[in-house]
Amino acid sequence: MSAENDINDKPQPLVEHLIELRKRLVWSLVAFFLGFLLCFAFAKDLFNILVLPYKWAVMWSGHDPEKMQLIYTAPQEFFFTQIKISLFGGLLLAFPVIAFQVYSFVAPGLYRNERSAFLPFLVASPVLFIIGGAIVYFFLIPVVMLFFLGMQQTAGEGEVAISLLPKVSEYLSLIMSLVLAFGLVFQLPVVTTLMARVGLVSSEWLGKQRKFAIVIAFIIAAILTPPDPLSQLGLALPTVLLYEVAIYAARIVERKRVEATEEESASEEDEA
């Protein structure tokens, strides 16, 4: 069977491609808008859920979680915080629809084997993002907030009382930046596996760049996380581990490519 027969759709004019692209964009925007409205309707509840890691840190520090509070210093601050929560949540809810629309747009230009190879990554990408976000929510944020709570100071002789009163906008920015950073870092195996599949990188090359990858991981962690060692190590160490996972995944892809080539050669010899 020729390669041309592997493509289901016939070649389309540019105008039809643009019409198709517009349709995919409209569906993506509709999904995002509906997700935004849904999240905005429950924005306060969502924020209370995001505050739970801080409450856990307060309990671990020996303080009464019922007395903890967050503040906002501008009249519109909490409203815009709810808008940010809704935008972030709407994007997460709409991601499966957006990913499907992207795949539906590019799929007609792919061969059948390329489509079958691409589909698992559509599943792996959100799963890895959720794993990264879960690590932030259940582990990193409580540990980081416990670290910051330890800097509080009670009033005493020659000392003034220093208490932590986080602003709602700054707390949300902290947790959103960490979730995004970890979610993107956890895409490393997906990206490198795709690159290895198309021949842009190899496991051998990735192994040789390991020392540079470690340095870059710590630099990225220092840029994306708050200026405390716990959150920076919390991002840098998983990044290094994921880099090793990416090398292993690239080796699997290369092994499968060699096996497929050998099978194809064997079938050609049998036909001859």
Side-chain angles (χ1 to χ4, degrees), residues 13-29:
L14 177 60
V15 175
E16 293 187 18
H17 282 295
L18 293 177
I19 293 174
E20 179 71 12
L21 177 61
R22 183 184 64 180
K23 183 177 74 171
R24 300 301 176 187
L25 288 174
V26 168
W27 279 113
S28 299
L29 290 174

Side-chain angles (χ1 to χ4, degrees), residues 28 109 185 203-204 253:
S28 299
V185 164
S203 59
E204 182 181 357
V253 170

Side-chain angles (χ1 to χ4, degrees), residues 53 56 60 133-145 230 234:
W56 299 335
W60 296 347
I135 291 175
V136 172
Y137 184 83
F138 291 104
F139 173 72
L140 190 60
I141 287 294
V143 171
V144 169
M145 295 307 296
L230 290 176

Side-chain angles (χ1 to χ4, degrees), residues 146-204:
L146 182 63
F147 174 79
F148 291 145
L149 284 167
M151 295 183 175
Q152 294 184 115
Q153 179 176 287
T154 56
E157 185 176 352
E159 296 180 342
V160 297
I162 300 176
S163 301
L164 175 63
L165 291 174
K167 294 176 62 178
V168 292
S169 59
E170 293 178 351
Y171 177 80
L172 180 65
S173 296
L174 172 64
I175 195 167
M176 283 179 58
S177 61
L178 287 176
V179 168
L180 283 174
F182 271 73
L184 293 176
V185 164
F186 270 66
Q187 304 305 307
L188 184 61
V190 174
V191 174
T192 52
T193 303
L194 280 173
M195 294 175 68
R197 186 176 289 275
V198 298
L200 292 178
V201 297
S202 65
S203 59
E204 182 181 357

